[in-house]
Amino acid sequence: MAVIFRIAIRNLREHKAKTLIIGIIIGLGIAILVIGNSMMETASRGIEKSFTENFSGHIMISGRTDYTLSLFGLQNPSSINEIIPVIPEYTRVLEYVRSHPHVEKVTSQITGRAMISFEDKGNTIVLLFGIDPESYRNMFPDNIEILDGELLKTGEEGILLSEKTVREIKDDTKTSVRVGDSIIIHNIPGPAGMKIREVPVKGIFRFIYSNEMLDRTNLIDMENHRVLSAMTVGYSSEIELDDADTALLNFESQDSIFEGDTGDMMEESDIESKTVSEESLLDILGDTSERTRLSQTDSGSWHFLLVKLKNPSSIKRVMSDINIYFEKEGIPAQTADWSTSAGMMAGLALSVQSIFNIIILIIAVVAVIIIMNTLVISITERTSEIGTMRAIGAHKGFIRKMIILETLVISFIFGTSGIIFGSIILIILNLTGIPAANFFLEIIFGGKVLHPALSIISVAQSLLIIFAIGILASMYPIAVALKIQPIRAIQKA
Amino acid sequence: MKKYIALLCLILAGFYLGAEEPDFKEILTEIDNNKNFDDRDFSCMNTIVSEKPDEDTSIKQFKMFRRDGEDKFVLLILKPETEKGQGYLQAEGNIWFYDPESRKFAHSSLKENFQESDAKNSDFRRSSLSEDYKVDSYIEGKLGKYDVYIVDLSATNDEVTYPYRKLWIDKDNHIVFKSEDYSLTKRLMRTSLYVGYKKILDKIIPTKMLFIDELTEGQKTQITLKGISLADLPDSVFTKSYIERVNR
């Protein structure tokens, strides 16, 4: 083996130019792989961190649904009419999650859409997060920048309007909303009809790390959100109906409804025409105490419980523990990781990043093909030399080992150089940062600036790829070279 | 021979003149007049039952007060208990919604859905087909056992809820049996069936209606009118103040 190694080294020295060309190509190829993979890995971590640290947490707990649910509500257009379920047995769920050794912090949230109404000037549809100000601030301390006014205080009634919402209100209704104003917010009619709240504007803010969905999100105190979302203690729907009140709902066909005689369609009416007094009209509602009782908000109603973990790598384990707990206790709730709870923007970010990964992969494949091609040409050019060696007694196995060893030596020396070169580039990029010039790059980078860090996994992967390619690339030309008769190889020389 | 030919031409011309198309402007006006009580007040109790896929059936009862001569109405929800006292007022070209819990009014629109049903707020207003629409074309057809005109309408203003409508109008009584309501892009949004009618004095008003949401399969709403009254109502009923006072 030592003899083959010496011969391989000598051969490489003999063919300095070829060795250098192949080496530089291998070095550049491995540098591209190391830089590309490290950038993507940093960006992946960036996307996760930007979502989990700023608004999603690592795990989202919600009531069980048949459709995809995110912190922004329902994701599928077909489930637009569905209602976000509240977390069943909230207190027990909260107690269990808080006691889990991997859980660092939790906060709860209510999500919904509503309309801010400015009388006949029009309405603006807004997205609302109903929050507990203290735990929300504790969970996401660095993502809210107050532009005017102040943060909500615990137990205080009010709304923080996002900078973008204020702009949209101005565009939609020509109204300038300021801190201290009271605004009328009403829900989009749901099972409990329409609800209206007058809410003071406590502040105008923006999320420091944001996206299109988050830009439109406003923070409101949980009590007002519960009223708008009809999270009340009870719902009474005991109404007596005649068969005629529902007869049309079960029709077979539209034509079949109109098969009866005109007499069936047309009735003479008994008309009440007695005079109606104002007093009798004022008493039309009767007793309203039941309404007051049923309309009290349910203080344990939340749509989501967001969980931040001490160690992000334990997401799957903690989710599994919580799901086992739900199953054991018969609680119809579910968990989702940050990539689901962060909604379409996380999905988009990960999809765009996958596309970018594919581009890096294509570049890597091209680099590998060039390396293979160069190796093939290099060895094919040496067929006469190989023929001569065989003529003076070298076995096929000896030749094969020698060429593979040559390739491995080149791969190791120049591959290592490529890693060092790539690492230097990464250190420079890490120090300077790569600014995201547009929204598209912001999605890929998971933030406004990417500071790529060297990934050991990428280095190991790249080295493995290069060694594998070196060996594979040697196979074909070796086979070609060994097929040539030694006498013909010598004549060719 | 020439005399006979001339006579034949005269007879054919007579048939042609006799087959002239109906005056739909007149028919639309007749439909409006049949439904509207321009010189009296109108009130009734409404039961509204809405079905949505995978949801519990929603049932509400509300009192409707209408003063068509001034284009005003008040809708006051009586059941369920949780929504008792919620109200709508249309007056002076505005429509307001009232929430008794917060004691606040919010501006609404005739184009919006009534509560979470498939009825629009405009469905409770006086009929104004002849003012809001023009007839583009028509054909004759059948709906069940009835001979009908099937009339395509397009809106003459942008205040209406649906820019295009197709009406099935009974040939004999000139009442609307069915309406298909289209968006600006001519997408079918809703089908309305007016199944029961009541004759009240010289008027014919629909008392059983079915609204079918054409965008969500299985979503539909029936409205049934009962306890119709033409008694005069105090002017104060058609004010915000009445809805507030009734909730005290």
Side-chain angles (χ1 to χ4, degrees):
Chain A
M1 191 68 184
V3 176
I4 298 174
F5 186 73
R6 276 208 302 276
I7 293 171
I9 297 289
R10 195 200 61 200
N11 283 345
L12 291 174
R13 281 190 188 146
E14 280 291 312
H15 304 283
K16 272 180 190 155
K18 274 183 194 168
T19 305
L20 205 63
I21 290 167
I22 297 168
I24 288 171
I25 290 170
I26 288 174
L28 281 175
I30 210 161
I32 288 170
L33 285 176
V34 167
I35 295 169
N37 286 334
S38 296
M39 278 176 66
M40 282 300 95
E41 208 175 298
T42 311
S44 263
R45 280 201 303 270
I47 287 177
E48 179 175 342
K49 201 173 171 191
S50 61
F51 282 88
T52 57
E53 294 282 317
N54 294 313
F55 74 97
S56 72
H58 295 105
I59 298 171
M60 176 184 86
I61 295 168
S62 67
R64 197 178 291 158
T65 60
D66 297 330
Y67 39 82
T68 313
L69 198 58
S70 85
L71 277 176
F72 299 98
L74 305 160
Q75 293 292 289
N76 307 340
S78 60
S79 56
I80 198 92
N81 291 325
E82 303 285 354
I83 295 161
I84 305 173
V86 296
I87 299 172
E89 310 255 10
Y90 172 77
T91 315
R92 279 175 66 201
V93 172
L94 180 67
E95 199 178 319
Y96 172 77
V97 171
R98 271 188 176 150
S99 67
H100 196 287
H102 287 280
V103 171
E104 188 187 358
K105 293 170 184 172
V106 294
T107 190
S108 305
Q109 187 179 303
I110 307 166
T111 293
R113 282 171 207 288
M115 291 176 115
I116 301 181
S117 175
F118 295 92
E119 301 205 342
D120 53 349
K121 290 180 184 170
N123 301 319
T124 297
I125 295 179
V126 292
L127 182 66
L128 299 176
F129 281 0
I131 57 162
D132 164 41
E134 197 179 330
S135 65
Y136 194 84
R137 207 166 41 234
N138 186 30
M139 180 108 156
F140 308 116
D142 305 320
N143 200 32
I144 296 175
E145 182 185 358
I146 295 290
L147 304 173
D148 193 9
E150 56 183 11
L151 280 166
L152 283 171
K153 295 184 183 76
T154 300
E156 185 181 53
E157 207 183 336
I159 186 167
L160 290 184
L161 289 176
S162 76
E163 189 185 22
K164 187 152 190 163
T165 300
V166 173
R167 276 205 304 272
E168 282 180 350
I169 290 171
K170 178 90 176 162
D171 292 343
D172 292 347
T173 69
K174 312 287 175 240
T175 307
S176 298
V177 180
R178 293 185 182 83
V179 173
D181 290 352
S182 281
I183 53 174
I184 295 286
I185 305 176
H186 65 80
N187 63 346
I188 293 159
M194 269 176 80
K195 302 284 181 188
I196 305 171
R197 304 302 284 180
E198 187 173 20
V199 184
V201 177
K202 290 288 175 186
I204 295 168
F205 79 106
R206 70 167 160 242
F207 286 108
I208 294 165
Y209 172 81
S210 193
N211 58 47
E212 278 298 293
M213 293 291 280
L214 214 51
D215 277 346
R216 290 187 159 80
T217 303
N218 306 279
L219 302 175
I220 188 169
D221 69 278
M222 54 204 176
E223 276 307 300
N224 272 314
H225 204 323
R226 283 197 182 109
V227 172
L228 293 169
S229 303
M231 290 170 157
T232 49
V233 292
Y235 179 71
S236 160
S237 60
E238 289 298 313
I239 299 173
E240 282 182 21
L241 292 177
D242 296 339
D243 289 344
D245 292 330
T246 56
L248 297 178
L249 292 169
N250 303 313
F251 67 96
E252 283 174 15
S253 72
Q254 291 182 16
D255 272 312
S256 69
I257 293 177
F258 296 95
E259 289 296 343
D261 292 330
T262 314
D264 300 337
M265 297 272 291
M266 196 82 70
E267 294 171 36
E268 296 287 340
S269 179
D270 301 325
I271 310 158
E272 292 175 22
S273 54
K274 59 187 177 192
T275 309
V276 180
S277 70
E278 193 164 347
E279 286 71 32
S280 67
L281 287 171
L282 284 174
D283 201 29
I284 196 168
L285 295 183
D287 182 15
T288 56
S289 58
E290 184 70 351
R291 175 184 80 193
T292 312
R293 189 185 71 78
L294 294 171
S295 300
Q296 286 170 355
T297 56
D298 180 356
S299 59
S301 293
W302 293 98
H303 286 147
F304 306 112
L305 179 63
L306 308 181
V307 183
K308 196 182 264 187
L309 302 176
K310 289 172 186 163
N311 179 4
S313 62
S314 59
I315 287 184
K316 280 188 181 162
R317 190 181 150 190
V318 179
M319 277 174 69
S320 166
D321 288 349
I322 296 171
N323 286 332
I324 289 168
Y325 170 75
F326 289 158
E327 206 166 307
K328 204 173 115 195
E329 298 295 318
I331 298 172
Q334 62 190 21
T335 57
D337 69 8
W338 65 272
S339 64
T340 306
S341 66
M344 284 186 290
M345 291 312 289
L348 183 67
L350 293 173
S351 306
V352 170
Q353 203 178 53
S354 301
I355 293 168
F356 202 68
N357 269 328
I358 290 168
I359 293 169
I360 292 280
L361 190 71
I362 290 168
I363 293 171
V365 167
V366 170
V368 161
I369 288 168
I370 293 169
I371 292 168
M372 282 179 80
N373 201 33
T374 314
L375 280 171
V376 169
I377 292 166
S378 158
I379 294 168
T380 313
E381 278 177 356
R382 288 169 60 195
T383 47
S384 56
E385 179 191 329
I386 292 163
T388 308
M389 288 176 80
R390 288 207 50 212
I392 58 173
H395 296 293
K396 284 184 177 181
F398 180 87
I399 301 291
R400 191 175 287 120
K401 279 179 192 165
M402 181 191 76
I403 292 174
I404 288 174
L405 209 59
E406 282 177 25
T407 312
L408 289 179
V409 168
I410 296 177
S411 299
F412 178 75
I413 294 169
F414 288 94
T416 311
S417 308
I419 289 169
I420 294 166
F421 176 67
S423 304
I424 293 168
I425 298 279
L426 281 170
I427 290 167
I428 296 167
L429 290 175
N430 186 279
L431 291 173
T432 56
I434 310 167
N438 51 46
F439 179 64
F440 183 74
L441 281 177
E442 258 186 58
I443 290 174
I444 295 172
F445 289 177
K448 293 191 188 307
V449 182
L450 181 73
H451 294 278
L454 180 68
S455 155
I456 302 300
I457 294 169
S458 294
V459 170
Q461 276 176 349
S462 306
L463 268 176
L464 207 67
I465 288 170
I466 289 298
F467 278 124
I469 292 303
I471 291 167
L472 280 174
S474 309
M475 294 294 179
Y476 172 70
I478 289 170
V480 172
L482 291 180
K483 269 184 196 162
I484 296 172
Q485 292 298 317
I487 187 69
R488 288 191 66 187
I490 295 166
Q491 280 170 352
K492 210 176 164 189
Chain B
M1 185 64 184
K2 281 181 183 174
K3 279 182 191 170
Y4 290 117
I5 291 170
L7 188 64
L8 190 65
C9 287
L10 275 171
I11 291 166
L12 287 174
F15 272 118
Y16 176 77
L17 287 171
E20 69 180 309
E21 69 177 50
D23 183 350
F24 281 107
K25 180 79 185 162
E26 185 93 357
I27 290 174
L28 293 184
T29 307
E30 192 183 333
I31 291 168
D32 289 340
N33 288 340
N34 268 337
K35 284 180 163 182
N36 295 337
F37 294 87
D38 285 330
D39 51 359
R40 333 180 57 136
D41 292 332
F42 172 90
S43 57
C44 67
M45 181 66 87
N46 290 254
T47 300
I48 184 162
V49 184
S50 296
E51 283 187 354
K52 290 185 180 180
D54 306 322
E55 276 185 38
D56 292 340
T57 302
S58 157
I59 308 163
K60 294 175 205 286
Q61 283 178 338
F62 62 96
K63 188 86 178 172
M64 175 163 72
F65 303 109
R66 247 170 61 188
R67 182 168 281 178
D68 293 337
E70 295 173 18
D71 196 10
K72 289 177 177 174
F73 70 69
V74 165
L75 311 175
L76 205 56
I77 295 175
L78 305 184
K79 286 180 183 173
E81 286 292 331
T82 44
E83 289 156 68
K84 191 189 256 189
Q86 292 184 6
Y88 291 76
L89 165 69
Q90 194 210 244
E92 278 83 46
N94 287 307
I95 182 155
W96 300 91
F97 169 78
Y98 180 75
D99 176 12
E101 285 168 53
S102 61
R103 301 192 176 278
K104 294 287 172 195
F105 283 92
H107 201 261
S108 187
S109 142
L110 285 168
K111 295 179 185 178
E112 283 176 24
N113 285 43
F114 174 71
Q115 298 279 301
E116 52 166 348
S117 75
D118 302 297
K120 298 283 179 183
N121 290 337
S122 56
D123 291 320
F124 305 105
R125 190 190 167 211
R126 66 187 286 277
S127 177
S128 55
L129 283 172
S130 59
E131 297 158 32
D132 294 333
Y133 292 94
K134 65 181 175 59
V135 175
D136 292 334
S137 63
Y138 84 100
I139 54 169
E140 294 179 11
K142 296 275 276 184
L143 180 64
K145 63 185 287 188
Y146 295 92
D147 292 318
V148 290
Y149 297 119
I150 302 167
V151 187
D152 285 307
L153 304 179
S154 57
T156 54
N157 61 66
D158 58 5
E159 303 293 312
V160 295
T161 306
Y162 296 107
Y164 298 99
R165 296 182 74 181
K166 191 193 281 275
L167 300 184
W168 278 251
I169 301 171
D170 177 33
K171 271 184 170 182
D172 297 333
N173 294 307
H174 292 172
I175 54 178
V176 178
F177 282 154
K178 175 180 169 181
S179 166
E180 283 182 355
D181 306 321
Y182 294 85
S183 68
L184 203 57
T185 54
K186 298 202 172 172
R187 182 174 184 184
L188 179 59
M189 307 296 284
R190 189 181 78 161
T191 298
S192 312
L193 303 175
Y194 303 91
V195 177
Y197 276 86
K198 276 195 174 162
K199 278 186 182 169
I200 303 168
L201 304 177
D202 59 337
K203 308 289 182 184
I204 303 173
I205 60 156
T207 51
K208 282 183 199 158
M209 291 158 266
L210 181 68
F211 298 106
I212 303 162
D213 186 326
E214 296 292 356
L215 301 182
T216 311
E217 200 182 336
Q219 188 168 317
K220 49 194 184 290
T221 295
Q222 178 178 338
I223 299 182
T224 313
L225 272 62
K226 286 174 193 160
I228 293 167
S229 164
L230 298 182
D232 286 343
L233 299 165
D235 292 346
S236 60
V237 167
F238 300 98
T239 60
K240 282 183 176 180
S241 164
Y242 168 68
I243 300 176
E244 282 175 318
R245 284 167 64 205
V246 90
N247 273 289
R248 273 184 195 145

